[in-house]
Amino acid sequence: MQENREKVIVQTSIIGILANLFLAGFKAGVGILSNSISFTLDAVNNLTDALSSVITIVGTRLANKAPDREHPLGHGRIEYLTASIISLLVLYAGFTSLIESGKKILHPE
């Protein structure tokens, strides 16, 4: 059952990575051609989503490692660490978007 859970998480994450990379490329292209900060920042959002999926895959694989001498109860808590990393990544992207949007509002082109 645990192996099936890991398999589903990895497959879903890979699909998410591919979709987000495609969307990021498309939105970045439209954003650059139209000089639209909203499209460009949405592309950045898609890139952070893709990176979050990569982190999820790594975290899932590490969390499912068998218990060893240093971790007799297993490695399941690594999922908390990866969730924290993802939340920091999302916060960083949000603050960056806020700053870039503020710059565009104060100094429009």
Side-chain angles (χ1 to χ4, degrees):
M1 176 134 169
Q2 189 72 3
E3 288 179 24
N4 188 38
R5 177 181 179 268
E6 179 183 357
K7 185 178 177 181
V8 169
I9 290 171
V10 170
Q11 287 175 344
T12 305
S13 294
I14 289 171
I15 292 169
I17 291 166
L18 295 175
N20 279 306
L21 289 176
F22 171 77
L23 286 170
F26 178 76
K27 290 175 183 179
V30 170
I32 291 168
L33 291 174
S34 66
N35 198 25
S36 170
I37 188 75
S38 62
F39 267 102
T40 306
L41 290 176
D42 205 26
V44 172
N45 180 48
N46 285 112
L47 287 176
T48 59
D49 288 345
L51 183 57
S52 295
S53 294
V54 170
I55 294 169
T56 299
I57 290 172
V58 171
T60 300
R61 294 260 167 104
L62 291 174
N64 286 329
K65 286 174 55 177
D68 56 25
R69 184 177 213 167
E70 292 179 20
H71 306 94
L73 299 176
H75 297 84
R77 290 188 181 218
I78 196 128
E79 288 182 345
Y80 297 120
L81 180 62
T82 56
S84 297
I85 292 169
I86 291 169
S87 67
L88 291 173
L89 180 66
V90 170
L91 279 171
Y92 174 75
F95 282 126
T96 303
S97 297
L98 178 66
I99 291 167
E100 291 302 315
S101 297
K103 287 179 185 177
K104 286 281 189 172
I105 290 170
L106 295 174
H107 306 289
E109 294 178 12

